[in-house]
Amino acid sequence: MKENRKSKSGRNPKLDPAVYRYTVRFNEEEHNRFLAMFGKSGVYARSVFLKAHFFGQPFKVLKVDKTLVDYYTKLSDFHAQFRAVGTNYNQVVKELRLHFSEKKAMALLYKLEQHTVELVKLSRRIVELSREMEAKWSQKSV
């Protein structure tokens, strides 16, 4: 096949090109059923869906739970904020050590420690809520 090519520009030819084409016509009801099945399948192209369905290849039906997607998005955002707080925490401790007397720094660190304990309680509650959400989601899918 490479001997027949005159120039090296363009795409490489496929080893087994699909050159045969067929036309299918649907009425309104059939078309709506087809679109519903195609939408549930999660396949990226109608032709791929038709070939898989015609030759009996298995395909998965994907159902996306919008609430679960929203939950994970918010959880990811919160995780990013949590990491930013950790970075700021380290910077505050460094500045306290450099610019304040030991007694003043200890008093401020005590307040910072109390807020850190609250943050740890909050993070534990988030983990607990995530486990509850996962348990509810796994019960839904069964």
Side-chain angles (χ1 to χ4, degrees), residues 4-139:
N4 295 341
R5 292 183 68 185
K6 294 179 182 177
S7 68
K8 293 189 177 188
S9 63
R11 288 176 37 177
N12 290 331
K14 293 181 178 179
L15 295 176
D16 186 20
V19 294
Y20 300 102
R21 184 180 308 189
Y22 296 92
T23 303
V24 177
R25 298 190 188 274
F26 295 129
N27 62 23
E28 189 70 28
E29 179 187 339
E30 293 169 338
H31 180 67
N32 291 335
R33 283 183 54 204
F34 168 73
L35 290 178
M37 290 172 61
F38 173 69
K40 288 180 183 177
S41 71
V43 179
Y44 64 93
R46 291 182 206 145
S47 60
V48 174
F49 171 74
L50 282 173
K51 283 172 70 173
H53 195 68
F54 183 75
F55 290 117
Q57 297 172 351
F59 55 89
K60 296 179 182 178
V61 175
L62 303 175
K63 293 184 180 179
V64 177
D65 187 1
K66 181 83 169 113
T67 57
L68 190 62
V69 172
D70 291 342
Y71 177 76
Y72 279 119
T73 302
K74 289 179 182 177
L75 189 62
S76 297
D77 292 343
F78 181 77
H79 183 262
Q81 291 176 2
F82 196 79
R83 289 186 60 181
V85 167
T87 302
N88 292 342
Y89 184 89
N90 289 337
Q91 291 173 355
V92 166
V93 171
K94 183 179 175 182
E95 292 298 318
L96 283 175
R97 200 182 93 242
L98 290 176
H99 298 293
F100 291 97
S101 66
E102 187 174 336
K103 190 173 185 179
K104 181 73 173 174
M106 290 302 285
L108 293 173
L109 282 174
Y110 177 73
K111 288 181 183 179
L112 187 60
E113 184 179 1
Q114 289 174 337
H115 291 295
T116 304
V117 169
E118 290 176 22
L119 194 60
V120 167
K121 288 178 184 176
L122 180 64
S123 66
R124 286 184 181 152
R125 179 69 180 140
I126 290 167
V127 169
E128 182 181 315
L129 288 173
S130 295
R131 288 185 180 142
E132 288 175 13
M133 181 74 160
E134 186 177 340
K136 286 180 184 177
W137 188 74
S138 63
Q139 288 175 356

